[in-house]
Amino acid sequence: MTRRATVHLVAARHPGDAAAVAALLDSGAVKANRIVAILGKTEGNGCVNDFTRAYAVEALCHMLAPRLGLGAAQVAERVAMVMSGGTEGGLSPHFLVFAVDEAAAPTPGGALALGTAFTADFQAEELGRMAQLRATARAVREAMAQAGIGDVADVHYVQVKCPLLTMERITAARRRGATVATEDTYHSMGLSRGASALGVALALGEVTEEALSDAVIGADWSLFSARASCSAGVELLRNEVVVMGNSTAWGGELRIAHAVMPDAIALPAVHQALRGAGLDPGGGQIGAADAARLVAVLAKAEPSSTGLIRGRRHIMWDDSDINATRHARALVGGVIAAAVGRTDIFVSGGAEHQGPDGGGPIAVIARV
């Protein structure tokens, strides 16, 4: 059987709005049992107490449950649900539905290939440490094998949803006599994302295991993956991994390409990713014909740790009213929106070890 990946982008009126995804299923555009992952941008704050992510997952699971003949909890075990909170600036809330069905034959030159995998649930003391890093690397390799991608060069984006620490989880660890990587719940988001990203980097051969330790996670920004996107949330205890690449064994009309933004205003990197997917931005924004072929844009955003962008001061880390990652999502979202002419872009904040300091990976999925 030749597999074919499909990706559908639908709008969300609020975090619990699964109606547009349900409409895809009811129309026959997507079969429920073919869905392997759903990514969503929700309009929460993207921080520890952003429950819009859990709200969206719950709504999607309850909508899918009767269509799959499963309980809602079983749906969550089967489908990777990656919700990223924060739609600052002009970013538009939306869902991306990834499914795998059949094609008549492989596409010459290759087509989008998808693989998913899950780690076991983590103990609180494993988050942000080598245990989480190694488990993520194993899951990435498993997802690659599921997708039939043998060459790491054919992987263009790895989306990971990872847990964070809450005071309840920290207290439970203390009772077991265990220590955690941090007792700052917000900082735990960054450490969890960082450990997950370095796990992707290890699996893809971007870093060596000898260079890794608990001490470098969240500290040595010279170590990173150019293809990892990791989002932390309170709504899960395991890592959920979605590998996206191209494979000559897959059919269909979709392809994916990626580039790395060296900083938050790196428009040329956005153009590079668009061209890699077969779209022509010229020197500015893609035209109407190419816009119709654009399926999805996924990117990471992170304020530079130096407090500078190309030598000029930014105040993202100094703002006590608005979280720094919220500033970064708005900034990067604006740069990308100007290039693609749309605002339903999956921009995830917190890019620890995901691209260089102050930058991040960007991927484009388009119809050939």
Side-chain angles (χ1 to χ4, degrees):
M1 179 191 78
T2 299
R3 289 178 287 178
R4 176 177 74 109
T6 65
V7 183
H8 293 269
L9 187 154
V10 296
R13 294 170 298 174
H14 56 78
D17 177 27
V21 179
L24 280 177
L25 303 176
D26 295 342
S27 71
V30 178
K31 294 180 180 178
N33 64 352
R34 297 292 191 174
I35 296 174
V36 297
I38 301 177
L39 276 58
K41 281 302 301 180
T42 63
E43 59 263 47
N45 61 24
C47 298
V48 174
N49 65 331
D50 184 352
F51 297 105
T52 66
R53 297 173 299 223
Y55 182 25
V57 169
E58 184 175 7
L60 290 165
C61 286
H62 280 281
M63 181 274 293
L64 285 170
R67 291 170 166 84
L68 291 170
L70 300 172
Q74 292 173 300
V75 175
E77 290 296 314
R78 170 175 173 163
V79 179
M81 298 277 187
V82 182
M83 300 298 128
S84 172
T87 52
E88 297 81 8
L91 292 174
S92 181
H94 65 279
F95 295 114
L96 286 165
V97 182
F98 291 78
V100 176
D101 56 25
E102 297 181 18
T107 298
L112 177 66
L114 301 173
T116 61
F118 309 100
T119 68
D121 287 354
F122 292 111
Q123 295 279 14
E125 56 268 28
E126 294 178 308
L127 292 184
R129 289 173 168 162
M130 288 296 294
Q132 184 181 16
L133 189 160
R134 291 192 178 104
T136 305
R138 289 192 296 270
V140 172
R141 296 184 187 111
E142 181 183 334
M144 286 179 61
Q146 185 193 97
I149 299 175
D151 189 343
V152 295
D154 292 327
V155 175
H156 286 270
Y157 214 64
V158 180
Q159 183 67 56
V160 181
K161 186 67 185 184
C162 53
L164 53 83
L165 291 174
T166 62
M167 286 311 301
E168 182 181 21
R169 295 171 186 175
I170 293 169
T171 300
R174 286 179 191 151
R175 289 181 183 140
R176 292 193 301 273
T179 62
V180 292
T182 178
E183 295 199 356
D184 181 329
T185 57
Y186 180 74
H187 184 46
S188 78
M189 298 181 75
L191 291 178
S192 182
R193 288 189 298 255
S196 300
L198 289 175
V200 175
L202 178 61
L204 299 184
E206 296 172 298
V207 299
T208 64
E209 185 149 13
E210 292 71 28
L212 300 172
S213 67
D214 288 349
V216 305
I217 299 171
D220 186 348
W221 304 124
S222 70
L223 302 172
F224 62 83
S225 171
R227 290 167 282 178
S229 171
C230 306
S231 179
V234 72
E235 68 273 16
L236 77 173
L237 291 170
R238 65 182 181 180
N239 275 19
E240 303 191 352
V241 175
V242 183
V243 166
M244 308 175 205
N246 295 314
S247 171
T248 55
W250 286 60
E253 60 181 358
L254 300 182
R255 282 187 64 84
I256 185 170
H258 82 279
V260 179
M261 297 177 70
D263 59 34
I265 56 174
L267 182 61
V270 180
H271 287 166
Q272 180 185 346
L274 289 167
R275 292 190 184 100
L279 306 177
D280 182 13
Q285 192 173 102
I286 59 175
D290 278 352
R293 295 196 293 118
L294 177 64
V295 175
V297 181
L298 305 103
K300 288 300 298 187
E302 174 75 8
S304 62
S305 64
T306 63
L308 301 172
I309 299 176
R310 301 189 189 180
R312 293 171 175 82
R313 185 171 69 95
H314 70 71
I315 56 83
M316 289 185 269
W317 292 116
D318 299 324
D319 190 338
S320 298
D321 296 315
I322 301 173
N323 185 273
T325 57
R326 307 192 73 183
H327 280 288
R329 277 191 294 267
L331 173 57
V332 172
V335 171
I336 297 173
V340 301
R342 56 194 290 178
T343 58
D344 46 1
I345 305 162
F346 193 94
V347 180
S348 172
E352 300 87 356
H353 303 293
Q354 300 153 73
D357 183 22
I362 175 171
V364 173
I365 300 173
R367 296 182 183 88
V368 177

Short mmCIF file of all heavy atoms in Angstrom, two decimals, residues 206-230:
data_model
loop_
_atom_site.label_atom_id
_atom_site.label_comp_id
_atom_site.label_asym_id
_atom_site.label_seq_id
_atom_site.Cartn_x
_atom_site.Cartn_y
_atom_site.Cartn_z
N GLU A 206 22.15 15.82 14.92
CA GLU A 206 22.57 17.23 14.96
C GLU A 206 23.49 17.51 16.14
O GLU A 206 24.20 18.52 16.14
CB GLU A 206 21.33 18.13 15.02
CG GLU A 206 20.44 18.03 13.78
CD GLU A 206 19.13 18.77 13.94
OE1 GLU A 206 18.35 18.41 14.85
OE2 GLU A 206 18.88 19.71 13.17
N VAL A 207 23.44 16.67 17.15
CA VAL A 207 24.37 16.74 18.28
C VAL A 207 24.81 15.33 18.62
O VAL A 207 24.15 14.34 18.25
CB VAL A 207 23.71 17.40 19.53
CG1 VAL A 207 23.28 18.82 19.24
CG2 VAL A 207 22.53 16.56 20.02
N THR A 208 25.92 15.20 19.32
CA THR A 208 26.38 13.89 19.78
C THR A 208 25.96 13.69 21.23
O THR A 208 25.81 14.66 21.99
CB THR A 208 27.91 13.77 19.68
OG1 THR A 208 28.51 14.73 20.58
CG2 THR A 208 28.38 14.03 18.26
N GLU A 209 25.79 12.44 21.62
CA GLU A 209 25.40 12.17 23.00
C GLU A 209 26.49 12.60 23.97
O GLU A 209 26.20 12.99 25.11
CB GLU A 209 25.08 10.69 23.18
CG GLU A 209 24.55 10.37 24.57
CD GLU A 209 23.58 9.20 24.59
OE1 GLU A 209 23.48 8.47 23.60
OE2 GLU A 209 22.92 9.03 25.64
N GLU A 210 27.74 12.57 23.53
CA GLU A 210 28.85 12.97 24.40
C GLU A 210 28.75 14.45 24.79
O GLU A 210 29.27 14.86 25.83
CB GLU A 210 30.19 12.71 23.71
CG GLU A 210 30.53 11.23 23.51
CD GLU A 210 29.68 10.55 22.46
OE1 GLU A 210 29.21 11.24 21.53
OE2 GLU A 210 29.49 9.32 22.57
N ALA A 211 28.10 15.24 23.96
CA ALA A 211 27.98 16.68 24.24
C ALA A 211 26.83 17.00 25.19
O ALA A 211 26.67 18.14 25.61
CB ALA A 211 27.79 17.45 22.93
N LEU A 212 26.04 15.98 25.54
CA LEU A 212 24.80 16.21 26.28
C LEU A 212 24.92 15.79 27.74
O LEU A 212 25.60 14.83 28.07
CB LEU A 212 23.66 15.44 25.62
CG LEU A 212 23.36 15.83 24.17
CD1 LEU A 212 22.35 14.87 23.55
CD2 LEU A 212 22.86 17.26 24.07
N SER A 213 24.24 16.53 28.58
CA SER A 213 24.15 16.22 30.00
C SER A 213 23.04 17.06 30.59
O SER A 213 22.52 17.98 29.93
CB SER A 213 25.47 16.54 30.72
OG SER A 213 25.70 17.96 30.72
N ASP A 214 22.66 16.77 31.82
CA ASP A 214 21.65 17.61 32.48
C ASP A 214 22.09 19.07 32.50
O ASP A 214 21.27 19.98 32.38
CB ASP A 214 21.43 17.13 33.92
CG ASP A 214 20.67 15.81 33.99
OD1 ASP A 214 20.13 15.37 32.96
OD2 ASP A 214 20.62 15.22 35.09
N ALA A 215 23.39 19.30 32.66
CA ALA A 215 23.91 20.65 32.84
C ALA A 215 23.75 21.53 31.61
O ALA A 215 23.66 22.76 31.72
CB ALA A 215 25.38 20.60 33.24
N VAL A 216 23.72 20.96 30.40
CA VAL A 216 23.66 21.79 29.19
C VAL A 216 22.23 22.16 28.82
O VAL A 216 22.01 23.09 28.03
CB VAL A 216 24.34 21.10 27.99
CG1 VAL A 216 25.77 20.72 28.32
CG2 VAL A 216 23.54 19.90 27.49
N ILE A 217 21.25 21.43 29.38
CA ILE A 217 19.85 21.70 29.03
C ILE A 217 19.43 23.04 29.60
O ILE A 217 19.55 23.30 30.79
CB ILE A 217 18.94 20.57 29.57
CG1 ILE A 217 19.31 19.23 28.94
CG2 ILE A 217 17.47 20.90 29.28
CD1 ILE A 217 18.63 18.03 29.57
N GLY A 218 19.00 23.92 28.73
CA GLY A 218 18.61 25.26 29.15
C GLY A 218 19.78 26.16 29.48
O GLY A 218 19.60 27.21 30.10
N ALA A 219 20.99 25.77 29.05
CA ALA A 219 22.18 26.56 29.39
C ALA A 219 23.11 26.78 28.21
O ALA A 219 23.59 27.90 28.00
CB ALA A 219 22.94 25.88 30.54
N ASP A 220 23.38 25.75 27.43
CA ASP A 220 24.32 25.86 26.31
C ASP A 220 23.54 26.02 25.01
O ASP A 220 23.11 25.04 24.39
CB ASP A 220 25.21 24.62 26.25
CG ASP A 220 26.31 24.74 25.19
OD1 ASP A 220 26.24 25.67 24.35
OD2 ASP A 220 27.22 23.89 25.18
N TRP A 221 23.38 27.27 24.58
CA TRP A 221 22.55 27.55 23.41
C TRP A 221 23.27 27.25 22.10
O TRP A 221 22.67 27.36 21.02
CB TRP A 221 22.08 29.00 23.42
CG TRP A 221 21.34 29.37 24.68
CD1 TRP A 221 21.64 30.38 25.54
CD2 TRP A 221 20.20 28.71 25.23
NE1 TRP A 221 20.76 30.40 26.59
CE2 TRP A 221 19.86 29.38 26.43
CE3 TRP A 221 19.43 27.61 24.84
CZ2 TRP A 221 18.78 29.00 27.23
CZ3 TRP A 221 18.35 27.22 25.64
CH2 TRP A 221 18.03 27.91 26.81
N SER A 222 24.52 26.84 22.15
CA SER A 222 25.21 26.42 20.93
C SER A 222 24.72 25.06 20.46
O SER A 222 24.96 24.65 19.32
CB SER A 222 26.72 26.38 21.14
OG SER A 222 27.09 25.31 22.00
N LEU A 223 24.03 24.33 21.35
CA LEU A 223 23.47 23.03 21.02
C LEU A 223 21.99 23.19 20.67
O LEU A 223 21.22 23.68 21.50
CB LEU A 223 23.61 22.08 22.21
CG LEU A 223 25.04 21.82 22.71
CD1 LEU A 223 25.00 21.03 24.01
CD2 LEU A 223 25.85 21.09 21.65
N PHE A 224 21.62 22.81 19.46
CA PHE A 224 20.21 22.96 19.08
C PHE A 224 19.87 22.06 17.89
O PHE A 224 20.74 21.55 17.20
CB PHE A 224 19.88 24.42 18.74
CG PHE A 224 20.62 25.00 17.56
CD1 PHE A 224 20.18 24.79 16.26
CD2 PHE A 224 21.76 25.78 17.76
CE1 PHE A 224 20.86 25.33 15.18
CE2 PHE A 224 22.45 26.33 16.68
CZ PHE A 224 22.00 26.11 15.39
N SER A 225 18.57 21.92 17.68
CA SER A 225 18.06 21.24 16.49
C SER A 225 17.53 22.29 15.53
O SER A 225 16.86 23.24 15.95
CB SER A 225 16.94 20.28 16.85
OG SER A 225 16.31 19.79 15.66
N ALA A 226 17.81 22.11 14.26
CA ALA A 226 17.30 23.01 13.23
C ALA A 226 15.92 22.59 12.75
O ALA A 226 15.34 23.24 11.88
CB ALA A 226 18.26 23.04 12.04
N ARG A 227 15.38 21.49 13.34
CA ARG A 227 14.10 20.98 12.85
C ARG A 227 13.12 20.64 13.96
O ARG A 227 12.06 20.07 13.70
CB ARG A 227 14.36 19.73 11.97
CG ARG A 227 15.02 20.07 10.66
CD ARG A 227 15.57 18.83 9.95
NE ARG A 227 16.83 18.38 10.55
CZ ARG A 227 17.49 17.30 10.15
NH1 ARG A 227 17.00 16.55 9.18
NH2 ARG A 227 18.64 16.97 10.71
N ALA A 228 13.44 20.99 15.19
CA ALA A 228 12.56 20.68 16.33
C ALA A 228 11.66 21.86 16.67
O ALA A 228 12.08 23.00 16.65
CB ALA A 228 13.39 20.31 17.55
N SER A 229 10.40 21.53 16.99
CA SER A 229 9.46 22.51 17.52
C SER A 229 8.78 21.87 18.71
O SER A 229 8.04 20.89 18.56
CB SER A 229 8.43 22.89 16.45
OG SER A 229 7.40 23.69 17.02
N CYS A 230 9.02 22.40 19.90
CA CYS A 230 8.52 21.78 21.12
C CYS A 230 7.65 22.75 21.89
O CYS A 230 8.02 23.91 22.10
CB CYS A 230 9.68 21.32 22.00
SG CYS A 230 10.84 20.23 21.13
#
